């Protein structure tokens, strides 16, 4: 036991787990990070980071056999030949779909921080106030003012590009130089602003170093080169990941131990001591069962796996899962609705082009039900659009000089718009453990029952109507609707199941992400979320994690956690 004893244990090494490790180590705690996947070292383990298409056996296409064997992961936009090694194949960790659900996962040191979309918008006061105001889920136990300084804290370290806009619906942060809209995007922005007084069109905010500061250079990171090959692992460290940023920073303290290939079975609750004492794992390759012990545990396994671990953490005191006296563990799971898109064309500007492959889109904060309930549906959606010129490489002409010239000339402008809709957490959207099916490590399979509802359909319809109207007023032509009809999960923004709240009868965590009934356990990944907002969630996970570690260490020093 002595050799397996640490001050803190972090389960998961992705975006929130990396932040937990960094903060705990920098505060002097000997910290063990348990990662169920293989080890991945920055640069060393990015095999395709500079590969050209002709250097890959299938020219960066997924072969048919893979598509047939792995239909779920093949539906992910980032899954290609050059990134496949960072994704979990369907058979590698099966789950049960009571309703269709595409569970996209990345099991390796760094988790999905290697393959995330890197969009980072703060929540506004309206997002934290929403459930209490509109009467859904439960009231958040915190407000924007509680998280704002922690947003600033993590933004400075991560490096967020963005523009200062002064919007209360999408608060400003600590920004590096913003990316620039191209000429057509600016024209659409100008016309939308002229036509509406409730719609703000701004450049996206993303975790890319447009102008690295000393804090980023000290991490060994450099400027983003706008290559659009981020999901391979960035050789420049131009975007934020655990591997290029938080984990190396934690390692520099001398307090970090990372154990890959550690499939967490459950948290260990000592009925005699009345507390969680450690974590039980199964070695991924040897199947050996091991136990590790610590005074404080941070669960950052990603939302659904964190639910799985807690549901499987059974003891005499907690026969239905750790801290689950209320019976709500695994319930009120929510996600983002990405189904709707609109395509259009734009005439003119044929003598204009743009630089590189910008890693963010133009975005519009939610404008529905912001300050009060005013629509026939609850909550709303963010809107994103991009404009670009197609045509390179697709001209249908004979080989020779004409072919070269035609295929090196950009075609007409096209516009793409998409939605990111908030879904309402419901008890019926839940996860449970299979009573009779287990994975190869002896852990019950996760059974997922999550679906859209009438509110989601109404939001989708409103997006189509408003999107078409805005693009028409902006001068677009040939406007076409698209419905991906994708299952929940493909948004990769699953949240909830271990939600924060004020009352142990209706929530699992308090305002500092601390379990009501297991005070030395903290949950700061997507499982902690009470509602989803319309923004990309990762910067909120990071801020909540840093805030929770600060609180936990102070409580440990007071003797309230031991």
């Amino acid at each position: 036991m002595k050799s397996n004893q640490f001050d803190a244990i972090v389960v998961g090494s992705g975006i929130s787990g990396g932040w937990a490790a960094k903060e705990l180590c920098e505060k002097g705690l000997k910290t063990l990070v348990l990662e169920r996947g293989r080890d991945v070292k920055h640069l060393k383990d990015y095999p395709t980071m500079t590969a050209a298409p002709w250097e890959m056996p299938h020219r960066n296409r997924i072969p048919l056999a893979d598509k047939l064997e792995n239909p779920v992961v093949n539906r992910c936009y980032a899954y290609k030949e050059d990134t496949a090694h960072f994704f979990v194949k369907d058979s590698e960790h099966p789950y049960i779909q009571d309703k269709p659900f595409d569970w996209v996962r990345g099991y390796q040191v760094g988790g999905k921080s290697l393959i995330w979309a890197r969009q980072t918008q703060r929540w506004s006061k309206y997002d934290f106030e929403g459930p209490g105001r509109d009467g859904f889920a439960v009231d958040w136990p915190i407000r924007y003012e509680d998280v704002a300084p922690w947003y600033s804290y993590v933004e400075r370290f991560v490096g967020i590009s963005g523009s200062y806009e002064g919007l209360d619906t999408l608060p400003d942060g600590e920004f590096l130089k913003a990316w620039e809209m191209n000429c057509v995007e600016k024209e659409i922005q100008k016309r939308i602003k002229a036509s509406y007084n409730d719609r703000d069109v701004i450049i996206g905010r993303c975790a890319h170093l447009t102008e690295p500061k000393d804090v980023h250079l000290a991490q060994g990171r450099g400027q983003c080169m706008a290559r659009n090959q981020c999901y391979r692992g960035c050789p420049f460290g131009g975007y934020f990941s655990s591997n290029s940023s938080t984990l190396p920073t934690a390692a520099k303290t001398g307090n970090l131990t990372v154990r890959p290939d550690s499939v967490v079975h459950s948290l260990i609750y000592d009925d005699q001591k009345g507390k969680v004492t450690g974590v039980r794992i199964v070695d991924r390759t040897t199947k050996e069962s091991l136990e590790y012990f610590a005074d404080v545990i941070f669960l950052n396994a990603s939302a659904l796996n964190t639910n799985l671990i807690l549901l499987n953490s059974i003891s005499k005191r907690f026969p239905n899962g750790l801290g689950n006296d209320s019976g709500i563990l695994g319930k009120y799971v929510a996600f983002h609705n990405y189904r709707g898109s609109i395509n259009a064309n734009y005439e003119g500007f044929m003598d204009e082009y743009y630089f590189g492959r910008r890693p963010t889109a133009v975005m519009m904060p939610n404008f529905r039900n912001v300050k009060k309930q005013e629509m026939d549906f609850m909550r709303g959606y963010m809107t994103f659009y991009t404009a670009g010129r197609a045509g390179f490489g697709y001209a249908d002409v004979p080989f020779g000089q004409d072919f070269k010239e035609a295929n090196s000339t950009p075609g007409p402008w096209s516009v793409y718009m998409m939605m990111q809709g908030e879904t309402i957490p419901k008890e019926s959207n839940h996860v449970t453990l299979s009573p009779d099916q287990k994975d190869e490590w002896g852990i019950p399979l996760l059974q997922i029952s999550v679906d859209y509802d009438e509110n989601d359909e109404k939001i989708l319809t409103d997006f189509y109507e408003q999107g078409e109207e805005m693009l028409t007023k902006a001068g677009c032509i040939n406007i076409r609707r698209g419905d991906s009809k994708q299952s929940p999960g493909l948004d990769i923004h699953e949240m909830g199941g271990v939600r924060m709240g004020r009352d142990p009868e209706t929530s699992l965590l308090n305002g500092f992400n601390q379990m009501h009934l297991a005070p030395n356990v903290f949950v700061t990944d997507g499982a902690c979320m009470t509602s989803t907002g319309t923004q990309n969630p990762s910067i909120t996970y990071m801020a909540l994690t840093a805030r929770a570690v600060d609180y936990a260490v102070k409580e440990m020093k007071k003797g309230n956690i031991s």
Side-chain angles (χ1 to χ4, degrees), residues 155-173:
E155 285 165 347
R156 286 191 290 266
F157 189 83
V158 168
I160 307 297
S161 65
S163 57
Y164 292 92
E165 304 288 346
L167 306 177
D168 62 351
T169 53
L170 204 68
D172 291 333

Side-chain angles (χ1 to χ4, degrees), residues 159-377:
I160 307 297
S161 65
S163 57
Y164 292 92
E165 304 288 346
L167 306 177
D168 62 351
T169 53
L170 204 68
D172 291 333
E174 310 289 334
F175 295 144
L176 305 175
K177 184 180 73 172
W179 295 90
E180 187 177 359
M181 298 183 202
N182 62 45
C183 57
V184 171
E185 292 166 343
K186 290 177 181 177
E187 183 67 16
I188 294 172
Q189 176 197 43
K190 182 178 73 174
R191 295 195 185 192
I192 290 176
K193 285 188 172 184
S195 301
Y196 304 90
N197 58 16
D198 64 342
R199 307 191 188 181
D200 298 290
V201 181
I202 65 176
I203 190 63
R205 296 166 178 174
C206 58
H208 283 255
L209 300 181
T210 49
E211 289 182 339
K213 304 297 184 184
D214 289 344
V215 65
H216 310 121
L217 297 175
Q219 298 169 40
R221 299 169 61 199
Q223 184 172 334
C224 173
M225 298 295 175
R227 302 187 313 151
N228 191 30
Q229 295 177 354
C230 313
Y231 308 112
R232 301 177 174 193
C234 180
F236 309 101
Y239 76 82
F240 171 82
S241 70
S242 295
N243 306 65
S244 66
S245 183
T246 46
L247 290 178
T249 301
K252 288 178 183 177
T253 67
N255 292 325
L256 178 68
T257 301
V258 178
R259 191 188 194 284
D261 301 315
S262 302
V263 180
V264 172
H265 176 279
S266 55
L267 303 192
I268 304 166
Y269 187 85
D270 189 313
D271 287 299
Q272 291 184 329
K273 293 182 178 179
K275 60 176 286 188
V276 172
T277 56
V279 180
R280 183 178 295 109
I281 73 159
V282 179
D283 187 281
R284 183 175 67 89
T285 56
T286 68
K287 308 300 191 294
E288 180 185 9
S289 181
L290 299 165
E291 294 179 348
Y292 294 89
F293 306 92
D295 294 328
V296 65
I297 314 292
F298 270 72
L299 262 181
N300 302 93
S302 81
L304 297 190
N305 269 323
T306 287
N307 277 274
L308 189 161
I309 291 167
L310 289 174
L311 286 165
N312 202 44
S313 299
I314 301 169
S315 61
K316 288 183 180 179
R317 170 65 184 86
F318 296 113
N320 299 313
L322 182 66
N324 192 27
D325 286 1
S326 62
I328 65 166
L329 177 61
K331 298 177 180 178
Y332 299 98
V333 172
F335 54 99
H336 277 149
N337 181 356
Y338 273 10
R339 278 172 48 190
S341 64
I342 303 174
N343 287 277
N345 297 105
Y346 208 95
E347 295 182 316
F349 295 98
M350 294 301 288
D351 58 345
E352 303 251 11
Y353 203 66
Y354 42 88
F355 166 78
R357 300 174 180 90
R358 192 185 63 211
T360 192
V362 182
M363 64 184 184
M364 183 186 305
N366 176 41
F367 55 88
R368 290 306 201 200
N369 301 320
V370 175
K371 298 181 180 180
K372 63 179 180 179
Q373 178 64 41
E374 53 193 1
M375 305 298 295
D376 68 342
F377 55 83

